[in-house]
Amino acid sequence: MFEYRHATFADVEAIFHLINDFAAEGLMLSKSYSTLYEILPEFVVAVEVESGKVVGCGALHCTWAELAEIRSLAVSKDFHRNGIGGEIVKCLLEDGKKLGVKKFFTLTYNTKFFESVGFEIVPKETLSPKTWRDCLDCPHFPNCSEIAMTLEI
């Protein structure tokens, strides 16, 4: 059983390791501790109730009027295929709707997962230039191979 909640300072260490373990494989952008503390309110975490261990995380990053990115979605490999990623996305979408977000996007290698939660593949060029700010820090820039996906509410 898992609990889904907004992240707290006590979760930063676990979030750091979840994200950076996948970043080391080239599957997502790494995040420093200082960045995580700055954007902590954007995160939702999944906690295994029995152990109290953070096993997943994801963030909602507002980029422009009524536009937000689902990013930094990571679930511990030991807990894949338990619906955790889908539940985190559901929480982030609910948070976004409360803010008035009308369009969500993500940049991903895992299109099947995001299709399963309602996102559709779109040409990258259709995304606002505001969405590319973090790409400057990516080792793959400017030859990005991630797939752009959106979900409109």
Side-chain angles (χ1 to χ4, degrees):
M1 177 165 273
F2 305 97
E3 172 192 14
Y4 300 88
R5 60 170 172 73
H6 290 98
T8 66
F9 288 117
D11 301 321
V12 170
E13 186 73 24
I15 294 169
F16 177 87
H17 289 290
L18 281 168
I19 291 172
N20 290 307
D21 285 352
F22 286 104
E25 296 179 32
L27 299 174
M28 62 192 323
L29 285 178
S30 65
K31 298 278 189 237
S32 67
Y33 283 109
S34 66
T35 297
L36 290 174
Y37 284 117
E38 289 173 10
I39 63 174
L40 186 61
E42 297 180 358
F43 276 91
V44 165
V45 294
V47 180
E48 184 185 36
V49 173
E50 186 177 316
S51 68
K53 178 181 178 181
V54 173
V55 298
C57 65
L60 178 71
H61 181 71
C62 295
T63 60
W64 198 246
E66 300 179 343
L67 178 66
E69 179 182 11
I70 302 290
R71 64 183 189 173
S72 301
L73 183 63
V75 176
S76 171
K77 289 180 181 180
D78 294 339
F79 291 89
H80 280 190
R81 306 271 183 230
N82 282 297
I84 295 168
E87 285 299 315
I88 291 171
V89 170
K90 181 180 172 183
C91 291
L92 296 170
L93 294 174
E94 289 173 10
D95 285 351
K97 289 175 189 175
K98 289 176 189 172
L99 293 171
V101 173
K102 302 286 188 223
K103 185 174 185 178
F104 298 86
F105 76 95
T106 192
L107 297 167
T108 186
Y109 295 113
N110 193 345
T111 56
K112 288 184 187 216
F113 167 77
F114 279 99
E115 285 174 335
S116 77
V117 293
F119 282 71
E120 297 178 350
I121 296 172
V122 297
K124 286 183 202 169
E125 302 76 33
T126 63
L127 297 178
S128 164
K130 296 283 184 188
T131 64
W132 300 106
R133 186 185 72 176
D134 289 339
C135 295
L136 298 174
D137 296 330
C138 180
H140 302 292
F141 182 79
N143 300 311
C144 177
S145 59
E146 286 187 307
I147 309 293
M149 301 185 78
T150 60
L151 173 66
E152 295 193 41
I153 303 299

